[in-house]
Amino acid sequence: MNQQEIDFIRGCLPRGRTKYYTFRDKYVFQILSWILGSESMHVRELKAHPLLSRFVERPSFVLFLRKIRQERIDASNLNAYWPRHRDIQAFRLTLAKWGDFDPINDHWNQTTRRGFNLVLQINYPVEHGRAYHDLNQEKENPLRLGYSGHPVRFGQVTTMSWARIDIDLGEGTALIEEIQTDWLRDAREKGQRLRSKLLAGEISRYDEWRGIKIHRILRYLDAYIEPLVKFWDEVTLETTLWFLKEELGVNQIYYHTWETGLWCKRLTRQSGPPRSLYERLPKRFGFVKVNHGPGFIDRSHDVFRRIKKDRLKTHENRWWHLNLNRHESHDRRD
């Protein structure tokens, strides 16, 4: 993407004012409602579907079926479902850009093609910022979390996680380059070290670390970190799909497999991201593996040149793909 495309898209989102509400398994309801459109599907058909049947097993969807007591589901009853208020989480969405740092040594960008990526930042709600800064009001970042050089925000608006995306609005196609979190990783690692020292008797809950009582740090971690450790990846991918579909009208979504992502971003197996983010996560969302990438990537001179240079056969480039167009077939593909 170029600077003009980034500027145009960033103008689509009110700065700092877009709230996104979610709950466990919300992506199931979103994806099904997009695919069904104005049609309906019998529960029996859904359970037998080669791709969509995985959604039936999700806990929130099981509860949904019990509540509606209907044999057919459609977008209206899918969109009307909300769990208990205490199970709903709210995040603020902001946009940033990433890439184009060094046109000569562009491996630093870790983008599949040259140029910029759009960054969708999923930020904690304001109450998190207040709780965190109350740990030590004299410091902007009391526990020194999330310092990485990545495209994140600090302060009253703090980034939990983000997605890097390459988009072609003309063909309605996007490639999710990566999703990542620094804040949760750093916070959990610090919490594990503190708890290990507590168990070993090296410290007490009333000792201080970085000028903060340890029991207050643990209380913050229990309230704001632990509930999201196993949930952030789902929230990030779900929010990214919502943004692409609802805000930008993009229906064809691609996502790296682990192996293709390593090659495209010039990473080694040792320096690569967690495999689960590029295998189990997209599969859970109904992505299928295909032998072709997004059109704007397949046509990229940069990518073609690297494929030829590295002698990487194009049919070995495998990608995840999700088609969000309504009324279209969603058969299994390899």
Side-chain angles (χ1 to χ4, degrees):
M1 301 176 69
N2 58 41
Q3 182 68 56
Q4 291 74 23
E5 291 170 321
I6 293 286
D7 291 342
F8 172 76
I9 293 175
R10 291 180 74 174
C12 296
L13 192 70
R15 296 193 176 187
R17 296 195 300 274
T18 297
K19 278 192 176 182
Y20 182 81
Y21 296 90
T22 188
F23 52 87
R24 286 276 185 179
D25 303 327
K26 185 184 176 184
Y27 71 92
V28 170
F29 300 87
Q30 282 191 168
I31 292 174
L32 281 175
S33 68
W34 291 331
I35 291 174
L36 290 177
S38 59
E39 298 178 355
S40 64
M41 178 180 286
H42 198 285
V43 174
R44 183 173 58 251
E45 294 178 79
L46 180 61
K47 291 180 177 180
H49 198 283
L51 292 177
L52 304 180
S53 58
R54 72 183 76 247
F55 294 159
V56 179
E57 303 169 0
R58 302 305 302 170
S60 294
F61 198 73
V62 171
L63 181 60
F64 162 75
L65 291 177
R66 289 175 185 169
K67 284 187 174 182
I68 64 170
R69 297 181 180 180
Q70 297 178 18
E71 294 185 345
R72 302 192 70 85
I73 59 172
D74 56 35
S76 61
N77 52 35
L78 287 166
N79 293 330
Y81 175 76
W82 285 87
R84 296 170 298 181
H85 180 73
R86 67 184 183 185
D87 295 327
I88 298 172
Q89 303 242 22
F91 297 91
R92 290 179 178 270
L93 307 184
T94 51
L95 294 175
K97 70 176 180 180
W98 173 268
D100 208 26
F101 302 117
D102 189 337
I104 298 175
N105 299 310
D106 63 350
H107 63 281
W108 291 110
N109 300 332
Q110 293 187 11
T111 56
T112 301
R113 62 173 179 167
R114 291 189 177 183
F116 294 103
N117 281 167
L118 183 73
V119 179
L120 178 66
Q121 299 164 324
I122 293 87
N123 305 296
Y124 283 109
V126 172
E127 51 266 30
H128 165 268
R130 291 173 184 154
Y132 182 64
H133 290 290
D134 281 347
L135 293 175
N136 189 334
Q137 296 184 0
E138 295 180 0
K139 297 181 179 179
E140 181 186 34
N141 193 338
L143 302 181
R144 292 191 59 80
L145 303 177
Y147 285 130
S148 62
H150 289 141
V152 298
R153 292 171 179 259
F154 296 104
Q156 287 300 313
V157 177
T158 303
T159 301
M160 178 193 74
S161 61
W162 74 93
R164 284 201 292 114
I165 319 166
D166 200 352
I167 306 171
D168 187 315
L169 290 176
E171 65 180 34
T173 304
L175 168 64
I176 300 173
E177 295 266 23
E178 73 168 349
I179 67 171
Q180 192 168 330
T181 178
D182 292 314
W183 192 275
L184 291 171
R185 182 199 61 228
D186 291 354
R188 198 181 196 203
E189 288 176 354
K190 286 179 171 60
Q192 288 174 337
R193 288 200 297 271
L194 289 176
R195 288 187 171 92
S196 178
K197 289 179 179 293
L198 282 171
L199 287 173
E202 298 176 16
I203 58 174
S204 80
R205 293 175 59 85
Y206 297 98
D207 288 338
E208 290 188 353
W209 185 75
R210 295 186 60 81
I212 308 167
K213 296 289 185 183
I214 289 174
H215 71 88
R216 295 186 62 217
I217 296 174
L218 296 178
R219 189 165 60 225
Y220 160 76
L221 296 175
D222 288 340
Y224 292 98
I225 301 301
E226 289 304 320
L228 290 169
V229 165
K230 295 183 179 180
F231 186 37
W232 77 268
D233 55 348
E234 177 182 313
V235 170
T236 307
L237 185 52
E238 170 200 309
T239 307
T240 303
L241 295 180
W242 173 86
F243 175 74
L244 290 170
K245 171 72 175 179
E246 298 293 345
E247 295 289 330
L248 301 182
V250 172
N251 291 306
Q252 303 298 329
I253 317 294
Y254 290 82
Y255 191 95
H256 284 301
T257 61
W258 192 71
E259 291 82 1
T260 305
L262 294 181
W263 182 83
C264 288
K265 291 178 275 188
R266 295 84 162 170
L267 299 172
T268 66
R269 288 179 174 267
Q270 292 72 32
S271 64
R275 185 183 287 267
S276 62
L277 294 179
Y278 299 88
E279 294 298 332
R280 291 199 296 269
L281 181 64
K283 188 174 182 180
R284 196 197 323 164
F285 273 66
F287 282 78
V288 295
K289 283 187 176 180
V290 294
N291 291 327
H292 58 87
F296 63 86
I297 294 296
D298 287 345
R299 295 190 301 270
S300 169
H301 177 71
D302 298 336
V303 177
F304 179 80
R305 187 183 70 250
R306 290 181 55 228
I307 289 174
K308 186 176 181 180
K309 179 181 177 181
D310 295 352
R311 297 181 180 178
L312 182 72
K313 295 180 181 179
T314 56
H315 72 266
E316 293 177 351
N317 258 348
R318 298 180 66 83
W319 307 76
W320 290 106
H321 176 235
L322 182 63
N323 179 5
L324 295 179
N325 274 319
R326 297 177 177 179
H327 314 306
E328 291 194 5
S329 172
H330 283 73
D331 297 328
R332 186 185 299 277
R333 287 178 290 174
D334 293 317

